[in-house]
Amino acid sequence: MLSRTLRTIRIGNCSGFYGDRFSAMAQMLDGGPLDYLTGDYLAELTMLILGRDRQKDPSLGYAKTFLRQLGGCLAVARERGVRIVTNAGGLNPAGLAQAVRALAAEQGVEVAVAHVQGDDLIGQATAHGWAGALTANAYLGAFGIAEALTAGADIVVTGRVTDAALTLGPAIAEFGWGRTDFDLLAAGVVTGHVLECGTQATGGNFSGFATVDTSRPLGFPLAELSADGTAVITKHPGTGGAVTVDTVTAQLVYEVGGPGYANPDVTARLDTVELRQDGPDRVTITSVRGAAPPPATKIALNSAGGWRNSVEFVLTGLDIEEKDDWVRRQMTEALSARPPAQLVWELARTDHDDPATEAAASAVLRCHVKDPDPAVVGRAFSSAAVELALASYPGFHVTAPPGAGTPFGIYRAAYLPQESVPHVVVRPDGARVGIAPPPVTADLPEETMPAPIVARSGRTTVPSPLGRLVFARSGDKGGTANVGVWIPSGHPRRADAYAWLRGWLTPEVVAGLLPEAAGLGVEVFALPNLSAVNIVIDGLLGDGVASSTRFDPQAKAVGEWLRARVVNLPEELVP
C-alpha cells in the first residue's frame, strides 16, 4: 500500500523560459530553504533556436544560460542539499550533463549528474513522414526524472519533458506515487503547471497587477507539496509580487485547452481544482482529480519555413487611409516582377484627433513578406521600400530601414503511441535504464461546454470594458491561442457574476469581440471551481510563433484586448 504520510517537500522554480532572469537561481537558493529547484528553459520557439544551434555545432543544442547560472551556484546548491531538475538539456541533454560534470570538476565540487533522453526523434523523421523537420521531440513524462533522483542524482538534466514533469518527478521520487495513483499524479501536474512559468504565478503578466507589490522584482514561486497531493504555493519572504488566488488562477488557465489537461503520466482535471487563500502569499491547492493518461504523446515538430522580412511605414496626420492605399499600391507594383509567396499588410491606428505630439498623430502600417527564396525578401524588398522615400505619401518615414531577410520556422504537432517513444535515463554511474510507458491509458473524453445558465431577465446593463468585471490571461500552443477569463476572487457577488459570464461568453460572442477569430474554430470551456472559462481559438497564430505575422505572435495580449472591449455588463455586477 502507498504510504500517504503528510511529509512535505519544498520545490522552487528559477526559470520560466530561455532568457528569464539570470540572477533567479542564486536568489532562490539564497532566499530560503528548498529541497528542489527546477528550471524550465524550453518552448516551441526555443526548440527551433536550439535546432539551429545544433546545425552549426553538433556539440550544442542545450540552453547555455543554465550552465552559466550554475557556475555561480553549484557549490551553494550542494552545500545546502538542494537538488536541481531542469529541461535545459534541450536537444542535447547528454552534452549538458557532461558540461555540468566538467564545471563541477573545475570547481572541485562533488556532484552526481544524470540525464533523461529519448525524446529526440529527428532520426526517425523520414520514417514517420516528417520530411523536412529540423527538430522532432516527444513530450516525455516524469518517471524518468524520478528514476534519476532515486538513483542518487543531485542534478537531473532532461530534454523535452512536459513542463510540469520537472515538479512531478521529485514528488514521485520522494513519495513513491505509482503509475495509477492518478489523483496524486494530477495534483503534481497542477502544482508543476503553476510553477513552470516562474513569476507568472506571483504577479507577472497579471491583469490585477495594480494589487500586487511592483516596487521590487517579483519573487519566483515555490510549492510546499505534501504526500497527499496538497500543495501550498508561496514565495520567499522579502520578494516582490504576491501569491493570491487570482495570481495562481492566472497561471492555471494559461496555455491549456479543455478541462482535461493531458500529460504523458496522467490527465489532470482542471475543473476539480480548488484554491484557498491561507494567509499572505500562501494559496492552497486541493481536491485535484486525475484520470488515465492518453495513449499517444505529442511530438513537437519544427521545420524551416523559408525567409521573411518586414518594414513599418509611419503615416502621420490627415488622410491616413489614402496614404495607406497609395503605399500599398506602390509596394505591390515594385514587387510585381517576382511577387513574394506571402504579402501581409497590417494598419495599426495609433493616431489621435487633434494630436498634441507627432507620435499621437501617427499610425503604423506594417508590411510583411515571406518566400522560400531569400533573394525575394532581401534586397529586392528592402530596395522597393527605401526607393519610395521621396516618391510617396507626405511625411514618409519608416521606423527602421528594412534589412536582409531572416529565416523563419513552422511548428506543427504530431502524435505517436507512448510505447513507441523511447524514454531512457542515464544514471550518475552511467547505467542506462529504460522507462516503461504507462500501463493504463484512456482517450480524452469529448469536452463540451455545459448548457448556458439562463440569464436573469430585467437586469439593467451599463456599457463598460469587460475588464472591469474579469481578469484574463492568454498565450499560445503552436497555431492555437487560448484565453482564460475569470471573475476575481474578491468580487462581492462572485457566484452571480460567474453565472452571468458563463451564460454570456459563447463562441459567437468571442468571435464578435475578437474579429480576428471570426471564421476560426472557437471553443469555450467552463472551469467552475475557478469561476473561469477557457477560450480556445484554433488557427489564430497560423503556423506558430516563428512564422506568425501577427503584431502579438504568441497571443500574450489577446486577453487584455478582450478585457478592453466595451460590452453591456449587468450594472449590479460592476464593482
Side-chain angles (χ1 to χ4, degrees), residues 307 309 335 338-341 369-382:
W307 297 77
N309 207 343
L335 300 173
R338 174 59 174 89
V369 289
K370 294 181 181 178
D371 199 88
D373 185 352
V376 173
V377 301
R379 182 177 294 275
F381 174 73
S382 299

Side-chain angles (χ1 to χ4, degrees), residues 118-125 128 130 136-138 299 416 420-422:
D119 61 293
D120 192 349
L121 303 179
I122 193 62
Q124 304 176 30
H128 291 299
W130 306 330
N137 293 83
I299 317 296
L416 287 178
S420 69
V421 176

Side-chain angles (χ1 to χ4, degrees), residues 2-24:
L2 175 67
S3 173
R4 289 182 172 83
T5 59
L6 290 183
R7 183 162 165 266
T8 298
I9 55 175
R10 287 169 60 92
I11 306 174
N13 170 277
C14 69
S15 177
F17 67 100
Y18 193 8
D20 208 345
R21 190 189 309 167
F22 187 85
S23 60

Side-chain angles (χ1 to χ4, degrees), residues 219-410:
F220 276 69
L222 64 93
E224 298 170 354
L225 181 58
S226 298
D228 67 348
T230 301
V232 175
I233 307 300
T234 184
K235 63 185 183 72
H236 285 323
T239 58
V243 178
T244 70
V245 166
D246 290 312
T247 66
V248 173
T249 298
Q251 178 57 27
L252 278 174
V253 299
Y254 178 64
E255 294 185 345
V256 297
Y261 187 48
N263 274 244
D265 302 314
V266 66
T267 295
R269 295 297 309 185
L270 299 181
D271 50 357
T272 65
V273 177
E274 295 184 5
L275 304 179
R276 183 178 69 247
Q277 193 79 44
D278 279 334
D281 295 322
R282 294 182 66 82
V283 171
T284 300
I285 303 175
T286 61
S287 306
V288 184
R289 297 292 177 262
T297 193
K298 183 178 177 180
I299 317 296
L301 304 174
N302 282 291
S303 58
W307 297 77
R308 67 191 298 171
N309 207 343
S310 62
V311 62
E312 293 184 338
F313 299 98
V314 182
L315 314 179
T316 305
L318 306 177
D319 307 317
I320 296 294
E321 292 85 357
E322 290 77 9
K323 292 170 181 175
D324 173 359
D325 176 67
W326 189 11
V327 74
R328 290 192 194 212
R329 287 188 284 108
Q330 288 178 304
M331 286 293 292
T332 301
E333 174 61 27
L335 300 173
S336 61
R338 174 59 174 89
Q342 189 173 356
L343 175 64
V344 178
W345 293 93
E346 180 185 17
L347 176 63
R349 293 301 302 264
T350 52
D351 53 307
H352 300 269
D353 291 336
D354 191 21
T357 65
E358 184 176 334
S362 300
V364 178
L365 176 63
R366 300 180 179 89
C367 178
H368 308 276
V369 289
K370 294 181 181 178
D371 199 88
D373 185 352
V376 173
V377 301
R379 182 177 294 275
F381 174 73
S382 299
S383 296
V386 171
E387 289 170 2
L388 296 178
L390 304 181
S392 190
Y393 61 87
F396 180 101
H397 65 286
V398 296
T399 57
T406 57
F408 71 91
I410 293 175

Side-chain angles (χ1 to χ4, degrees), residues 90-159:
L91 300 176
N92 189 5
L96 179 55
Q98 186 54 41
V100 171
R101 294 187 189 99
L103 174 67
E106 289 175 9
Q107 296 187 357
V109 178
E110 290 190 11
V111 62
V113 184
H115 70 273
V116 178
Q117 62 186 37
D119 61 293
D120 192 349
L121 303 179
I122 193 62
Q124 304 176 30
T126 300
H128 291 299
W130 306 330
L134 176 64
T135 67
N137 293 83
Y139 284 81
L140 301 180
F143 279 86
I145 294 170
E147 169 64 29
L149 293 169
T150 302
D154 303 310
I155 297 177
V156 181
V157 172
T158 78

